[in-house]
Amino acid sequence: MSLIKGGIIVQEQLKQLEQEAIEKVANVVDLKALQEIQVAYTGRKGSITEVLRGMGKLSKEERPIIGELANKVRASIQATIDEKKAALELEQLEKQLEKETIDVTLPGRPVQFGGSHVLTSLIEEIEDLFIGLGYEVREGPEVETDYYNFEALNLPKGHPARDMQDSFYITNELLLRTHTSPVQARTMRALDGQEPIRMICPGKVYRRDSDDATHSHQFTQIEGLYVDKNVRMSDLKGTLDLFAKKMFGEDRDIRLRPSFFPFTEPSVEMDISCKVCSGEGCSVCKQTGWIEILGAGMVHPSVLEMAGYDPNVYTGFAFGMGPDRIAMLKYGIEDIRRFYTNDMRFLKQFHEA
Ligand code: DAH
C-alpha cells in the first residue's frame, strides 16, 4: 500500500533527517562532536524519536511502513557515525604515535657508575691476601661491651693501659669499640675450643680524639688472629713479612720492635723500610728509614685462658693494623680526614676508568 498525506510528510521528515545527519557527520572533526550528533539524531530524545511521536496521527496501515523506514534511517545514520568514529580514532592514534616516536639513533644519557671507597677496596685487597693464607673473615659489633673491648683482652677495670684508647662510653658497660681486638675474644669464645683459628676482622673503630691530619674519631682497623698448637713468633714474622711485601712491594723490608700491648706477650710493632728514601732517612720516615705499620704479638696466656683455650696447649699470634694509615702510605695521602669528607674529586681518583 502507498502512503497517504500524513505518512508522506513523516517520510519526508525522516529522509531529511537522514541527509542532514550524514552531512553533519561528514563535516565533524572530533569524537566529541560526533557523539553529540549521535545523541541529537538517534538518541532516546533525538530527532528521530521526535518525528515518530507524530505516528499516532497516521493510519494503521501506514505505521509499520513508517516504523520500518525509521529503523532504516536510524541504522543508516548509525553506520555513518560508526564509520566516521573509526576514522577519527585511527587519525587520533596516528597523531599520538607520531608524537611519541622515539629516535633510537639519539645518543643515550651517560650512566654514572659508582665505585668502592678507597678504604673498602684496600680492606678487600687485604682480606683476599689473608683468605689465600687460610684465614676467614669475621665481624663483631661496633657497640661493644666493656668486657670484650677491655677485660677479655687483659685490661681489667682501672688498668692504666686503658688510657691509651680514649673511649666513647654509652653506659658504664657499653662503648663504641676502640679497636677490633675484641673480635679475637669473641671468635675464640664462638669457636669454643676448635682449632686452628685463623681469622681476620676488618671494621670501624672509634676513639675520643680531636680530628686532625693524622687523627680521626672514627677510623678502620683489621685484626688478625691465629691460634693453634705450636704457633711461634717466627710464624708471626713470616706472615707479616709476606703481608708487607704483597702490600707495599717485594723490595720492602720489615723489622719488629719490642712494644707493649696488654693482650700480647711479647708484643711488637712492625715497621717497613721507607720507600721514598730506601732507608736513607727522609721527611716521610722522620729520618729513621722506617715507617710504623702495625702492632702485633703472641697472644697473652690470660687472653687464651679467659676465652677457653688452655695456654699450656695452645699458643697464638695476633696483629692489628689500620687501613687508613696503610692507604695514606701507599697512596701518599697526607690528611686522614680526606677518607671521611666525601669529596668526589678525591674519591674518584681511586676508581678504575
Ligand atoms: N688493638 C691495638 C690498637 O688498637 C692494635 C693491636 C696491637 C692489635 C697488637 C693486636 C695486637 O691484635 O696483637 O692499638
Side-chain angles (χ1 to χ4, degrees), residues 9 77 97 129 133 165 190 214 237 247 276 321:
I9 294 175
I77 296 176
L97 284 177
L129 204 156
L133 294 176
Q165 304 181 356
T214 54
K237 191 171 178 185
M247 189 61 24
V276 179
M321 62 177 95

Side-chain angles (χ1 to χ4, degrees), residues 108-115 344 348 351-352:
R109 276 190 212 124
V111 177
Q112 293 266 357
F113 283 105
M344 288 307 289
K348 271 191 176 164
H351 295 169
E352 280 159 25

Side-chain angles (χ1 to χ4, degrees), residues 119-144:
L119 290 177
T120 306
S121 307
L122 182 72
I123 288 169
E124 281 170 3
E125 195 182 324
I126 297 172
E127 280 177 6
D128 284 348
L129 204 156
F130 280 97
I131 287 169
L133 294 176
Y135 285 65
E136 60 169 358
V137 178
R138 297 185 76 98
E139 282 182 1
E142 287 175 31
V143 175
E144 188 52 283

Side-chain angles (χ1 to χ4, degrees), residues 19-29 34 37 80 84:
Q19 205 180 335
E20 203 180 285
I22 289 172
E23 254 167 47
K24 281 195 181 164
V25 168
N27 293 327
V28 138
V29 287
L34 189 64
I37 293 173
T80 324
K84 184 72 176 188

Side-chain angles (χ1 to χ4, degrees), residues 10 46 67 99 122-123 159 168 170 177 182 210 236 251 259 277 313 318:
V10 178
K99 214 165 61 190
L122 182 72
I123 288 169
H159 193 290
F168 288 116
I170 293 164
R177 67 178 174 194
S210 302
L236 172 63
D251 54 340
S259 184
C277 63
V313 180

Side-chain angles (χ1 to χ4, degrees), residues 165 179 181 184 207 221 223 261 263-264 295-297 318-320:
Q165 304 181 356
H179 50 182
S181 302
Q184 284 187 32
R207 302 254 174 112
Q221 276 195 342
E223 192 74 16
F261 300 102
F263 30 91
T264 43
F319 53 85

Side-chain angles (χ1 to χ4, degrees), residues 17 20-21 24 36-43 46-49 77:
L17 281 180
E20 203 180 285
K24 281 195 181 164
E36 279 163 15
I37 293 173
Q38 178 163 20
V39 172
Y41 286 89
T42 64
S47 317
I48 294 177
T49 317
I77 296 176

Side-chain angles (χ1 to χ4, degrees), residues 144-252:
E144 188 52 283
T145 59
D146 184 274
Y147 176 78
Y148 277 115
N149 197 77
F150 291 126
E151 283 190 52
L153 296 169
N154 212 21
L155 277 143
K157 286 205 161 69
H159 193 290
R162 285 191 177 204
D163 286 353
M164 282 160 59
Q165 304 181 356
D166 274 338
S167 321
F168 288 116
Y169 272 91
I170 293 164
T171 66
N172 273 345
E173 295 302 325
L174 275 184
L175 70 158
L176 295 181
R177 67 178 174 194
T178 56
H179 50 182
T180 43
S181 302
V183 185
Q184 284 187 32
R186 285 186 174 274
T187 303
M188 285 190 269
R189 279 284 174 89
L191 293 185
D192 195 25
Q194 288 172 55
E195 55 167 62
I197 298 174
R198 285 193 212 95
M199 76 91 192
I200 58 162
C201 166
K204 295 193 195 93
V205 300
Y206 304 83
R207 302 254 174 112
R208 205 150 53 81
D209 266 330
S210 302
D211 292 359
D212 62 25
T214 54
H215 295 85
S216 170
H217 61 280
Q218 179 209 297
F219 56 102
T220 58
Q221 276 195 342
I222 299 180
E223 192 74 16
L225 176 71
Y226 175 28
V227 176
D228 202 354
K229 293 178 181 122
N230 300 319
V231 177
R232 293 171 304 180
M233 190 88 180
S234 52
D235 297 316
L236 172 63
K237 191 171 178 185
T239 305
L240 294 181
D241 189 45
L242 184 114
F243 161 76
K245 289 193 159 67
K246 284 266 192 287
M247 189 61 24
F248 297 100
E250 292 294 327
D251 54 340
R252 311 305 280 289

